[in-house]
Amino acid sequence: MKRRDFLKYGAAGLATAGAGLSPFESLAQTLTGTTDIKLGITDVETRLVDGNKVNMLGFRLYGGAGALATGRVPGPVLRVKEGSSVKITVTNDREEAHGFEITGVPGTKTEIAPGSSSTISFTAPVAGTYIYHDSLGDTPLYRILGLHGVLVVEPLNGVTSAGSRTPYSLDKLVPGSRTAVSALFDALGTTDRFQGGADGKWVPAPLNAEASIREKVWICAAIDPKFNALIERGKPIASSPNLTSNVVDNFVPSYFTINNRSGYDLHDDYDGMLPVIVKNYIGEPTLFRIVNVGLAHHANHFHGNHLMELARVDLNPKSSTYGQMIVPENIFEVDTTAMWPMQRRDLLLPLEIPPDIPYQIPVSSPTGGQFQRMVNKQAQEPFPLRYVMHCHTEMSQTAAGGNYPQGMVCHWEVLGGLGGRAKVAG
Amino acid sequence: MTSTTKTAGATAAIGGTLAAGEAATQTMPPLGPNSTAVPGPGDYNGGSIDFTRTGVKGKESFGNFGCDTFDGNPNTPDWTTANAYFVRTVQNVDVTMPDGKKLRCWGFGDPLKAPGRELLPSPLIRVQEGDLVHVKLQSSKGTHTIHHHGIEPTTFNDGVGHVSFEVKDDYVYQFQARHAGTFFYHCHKNTVTHFEMGLYGLLIVDPKPENGRVPAYAGGPFYDVEKFWVLDDMDPRWHQITNLDHDVGLCGDDAGLNIFEPKYFLISGTPTRPNVLVDKQKIVAKPGQKILIRLLNASYSVLQVMFEGLEVQVISVDGHALNKPWNQWLTIAPGTPFTLPTAQRYDILIDTGSPANQTKTGYTHKVHFEFQHWITRKVHNAGDKMYEGRAFTTITI
Ligand SMILES: [Cu+2]
Ligand SMILES: [Cu+2]
C-alpha cells in the first residue's frame, strides 16, 4: 500500500496528564456558552490512510481553535443541558444551498442560502445522543460528504437515588428503564465484578469538552471517493444526476472511518482531532456515544470486555416507537452491536478485568489470578493490554479494496489494575 | 496426545509464573459431560518470550500494521496447566453447492478428536465454566491466528496480529472460561478473507451440571433439544482470490474486498436454496420439551430471522445470560422478524409447553432466514431461483 511519507502529528499531544483533564479537553475549552452556537459550512480536505486526498464538506466552529476553527469532519461535539434554550446559527460559506437538521429534534430543520446564515432556536430535548447534519433535499449526499456531527444533551436529573450519575434523566424514563439504568450504574464501583468504590462510578464529560477520559464520541462513516470527486473547492458540487439521484444504490465505499480516520491513523489520538482511543485502568467505566452517519450497516465488535447497550434509536419503520430514542428496560451485554445507518447508541465499557484471563491458578485450588500477578509485576505479559474494536461486517475493515486492517479498526487499552491512575499520580 | 514435541508433567513446575510445584501437584478438575476437549495438560508451552518481536512491545508502524505484521511461534506467557486441551489445524474443505459447483473453503481440523474429517463450520470447542483451556493452533498455508470471539483473555491470547502476533507454525492460546454461553472462534489473520473462507467454529461454555443435568447457564433453564444454527453467505470470487493468495489485498492490492456479492447461503454448513426446506437443519421436539437454539450470524449480511407460529425467548446474548439486575429474557411473538448483525449470537429457548406454544403441538413451523445486503438492505439476488438470499427450515412439535 502506498503511504504518505510523513505523519506530522505533535508527539506532545500524545502525553496523558496524570489524573486531571486529558489534553483534548483543553482543545475544546473554546466551546463555552454552547447555548449560543455559531457554525460554518465550508470545504475541507481529508488525507486518507493510504495518502490519497479527497475533498469533503465540513462544519467549523466560530470561536473554536485549530481544526475546529477552519473546518473539520466530523463537526464539533456540541453539549447542552436538557431543557435549556439553544440557538444555533449556521453560516454557509459555500456557493450552493445547504441544510441543517438535528434528527429527532422538532423545529431544527432549516435551509441556508449560499453566503448567508440561518438561525434555529429550540429547547434542548431529552438527554441523549443526537446527530446534526445537512439533509437538504432529503438526500444523504451532504451527510456522507462530511456535513455531520453529534449533539450531546446532558440530563437534568441524571442521578440515581443511590447517588450514581447516569447519562439519562431518570424522571423521564418509564419505571422499568429507570430501574435497569439505576441497577447498572449503582453496581459500578460497588460489586465484585465492578470494583473501585466512589472512583469506580461513571463520570460525565464536562459541558465544555468534546470528550473526556470516561466518555468518547465515535462517528462511523464510509467514503466512496467518486462522490467526493464531485466537490470542487469554492464551487457548487458538480452535477451528476446518475450518481446523486440514488446515492444508496450507487454507493460503493472503499474507506471506513471513525471520526474521519481509519486503520493505522486510528492507532492513537492527535491534536485537533476528535479522540477515539480509551486508555483507562480497571474500575474506570467509560461511555461510548457511537453513531453511524454512513450508509453501510456496521457490526462494531469489541474485544476485551462486553459492553452494556444503554440507548438506541428505534429504526424499525413498522414499530410504534419508530424514530424515537429508546433507553431499554432490558440492557443487553454484548460484544458486537448493530450500527445501522443513522443509528445512535450509547454503550458502557465497564473496564472490568477481562473475565477470561485465568482467574483461578492453579485451576483446582485457587491461589490467585493471573491479572493480579500482572498488577504485582509477577507476570510475563505486561500492561497495557490492548484490545481491538473493529467492524465485523468485514468489508469495512479494508481500505482501497484490501489492506486489512486499515479500515474501521481501532483499539482500547487497559493501563493497569484498580486504582492504577491514582498510584501513577502519586 | 499425538505428535507432541514438548510434554507437560515433570517440566510443568517451571511454567509461567507458577510457584515451583504448584502445577505438578494439582489434581485436574474433570471435563464437563458435554466437553469436546481432551483432558489436559496437553503440550507444555511455557518459557521466555521476546515481546519486542510482537505487537506487545514492538513499535507499531504503518508497515507492520497489516502488511508486514508480527509473526512467530512464541511461548505462552504466564503458561499454566490446563485441564481442557484442543488442537486445531488448517485444512481445505470443498463444499458442493446447490448449483453443482464445488467451492473451495478452509476449515480448522481437530486431529485429536476428528482426524481427517473435513468440517464446516469447524469442530465445536465445548468446555465447562471454570475450565483452564489451551487451544493449540498448528498453522499451515502461511500464518493464521485464533480469536475466541467473546472470550476475553489477555492481548497475547486474543489472536489479533497487529497488537500481538500471527502464528507461523504453532502457538498455545490460554484462557479460563468464565461465562457460560455461546461464543465462536475464528481466524483473525486478514480476517476479511480468512473468516469468509470458513475458518470459524462454535465455542460453547457450559455451566456445571445441576442434579446431573446441564442448564443453559448457571441457575438457568434446562433444555431437551439443542440445535446450532450458524448462518453464512459466500461470494465465490472471494474464495477464488483467497485460495490463490492467502495474503490477498494485504499489501496494497485493490482486491475488491469492499465489494461482497454472495451467491451461496448456508445453515450450519448445509448449503441452502430459496423455498426448499433445509431438511438437515430442522428440529423435531416432543410436546412439553424445551428447545435451545444457539444462533450465530457468521455471514457478512444483515441477517433477518423470523419464527412462524412459535413464541420464542432470547435468554442470552453474545454469551452473557440475560439474568442480571439490568436485563431479563426477551420474548419474541410468533411471526415477528428480528435482525442480527455479523458475529452476534442469540441463545433462543422455545418452551413447547408454554401457554402460547401449547396449542401449536402437532404442527410444523417454518423458520425463515433472509440475507440482506450490507448497504442497500435488499435481499441478495432477489427473485433468483438458485441464488436468492433466503433459506428456511422447520420446527416440528
Ligand atoms: Cu469475531
Ligand atoms: Cu475480532
Side-chain angles (χ1 to χ4, degrees), chain A residues 162-182:
Chain A
S164 313
R165 285 190 280 184
T166 79
Y168 308 107
S169 272
L170 294 162
D171 56 342
K172 295 211 172 59
L173 302 181
V174 300
S177 304
R178 192 188 315 140
T179 304
V181 169
S182 299

Side-chain angles (χ1 to χ4, degrees), chain A residues 301 303 335-336 390 392 394, chain B residues 147-150 184-188 191 195 343 345:
Chain A
H301 166 50
H303 294 215
D335 58 48
T336 307
H390 60 90
H392 226 296
E394 302 276 337
Chain B
H147 168 55
H148 301 90
H149 182 119
F184 66 117
Y185 68 103
H186 63 83
C187 179
H188 223 294
T191 324
F195 181 32
R345 289 87 63 211

Side-chain angles (χ1 to χ4, degrees), chain B residues 110-265:
Chain B
D110 180 352
L112 301 182
K113 284 285 187 100
R117 275 178 71 191
E118 296 183 353
L119 289 169
L120 195 79
S122 305
L124 173 65
I125 291 181
R126 190 160 196 160
V127 298
Q128 182 172 281
E129 213 172 285
D131 279 353
L132 204 313
V133 185
H134 281 175
V135 180
K136 180 182 185 178
L137 170 62
Q138 292 176 331
S139 285
S140 56
K141 306 170 180 294
T143 61
H144 297 275
T145 75
I146 292 179
H147 168 55
H148 301 90
H149 182 119
I151 297 288
E152 288 149 356
T154 66
T155 303
F156 219 66
N157 291 299
D158 202 33
V160 180
H162 69 278
V163 294
S164 61
F165 62 96
E166 293 171 351
V167 180
K168 255 183 155 159
D169 305 304
D170 58 70
Y171 176 73
V172 176
Y173 290 96
Q174 170 172 294
F175 63 89
Q176 187 171 17
R178 170 95 65 166
H179 292 278
T182 306
F183 302 87
F184 66 117
Y185 68 103
H186 63 83
C187 179
H188 223 294
K189 151 91 181 184
N190 205 6
T191 324
V192 58
T193 57
H194 287 210
F195 181 32
E196 163 67 12
M197 288 299 276
L199 285 172
Y200 68 85
L202 274 185
L203 191 167
I204 294 171
V205 181
D206 287 312
K208 297 205 167 85
E210 294 169 16
N211 301 319
R213 291 183 74 193
V214 179
Y217 53 84
F222 296 101
Y223 50 93
D224 309 288
V225 179
E226 183 185 36
K227 194 76 182 171
F228 312 142
W229 282 341
V230 180
L231 287 298
D232 198 358
D233 53 1
M234 293 185 175
D235 179 340
R237 179 181 70 88
W238 282 45
H239 285 246
Q240 192 180 14
I241 60 176
T242 309
N243 195 48
L244 287 171
D245 176 5
H246 135 198
D247 290 343
V248 63
L250 269 189
C251 296
D253 309 339
D254 180 350
L257 294 178
N258 57 324
I259 299 164
F260 185 70
E261 303 293 350
K263 276 174 85 178
Y264 304 120
F265 304 90

Side-chain angles (χ1 to χ4, degrees), chain A residues 1 249 253 267 297 303 306 330-331 333 335-336 355-356 359 362 364 373 378 380-381 386-387 401 403-404, chain B residues 17 27 47 78 149 152-156 158 176 191 249 251-252 257-258 318 320 326-328 344-345 374:
Chain A
M1 183 183 216
D249 281 358
H267 89 285
H297 292 69
H303 294 215
H306 278 50
N330 200 355
I331 299 174
E333 298 181 6
D335 58 48
T336 307
D356 304 293
Y359 49 90
S364 61
R373 290 174 194 247
Q378 298 163 328
Q380 290 177 291
E381 191 165 353
R386 293 200 299 162
Y387 294 106
N403 304 295
Y404 167 87
Chain B
T17 56
T27 44
D78 308 299
H149 182 119
E152 288 149 356
T154 66
T155 303
F156 219 66
D158 202 33
Q176 187 171 17
T191 324
C251 296
L257 294 178
N258 57 324
D318 288 355
H320 281 218
W326 43 88
N327 56 35
Q328 68 239 281
Q344 190 138 73
R345 289 87 63 211
W374 69 301

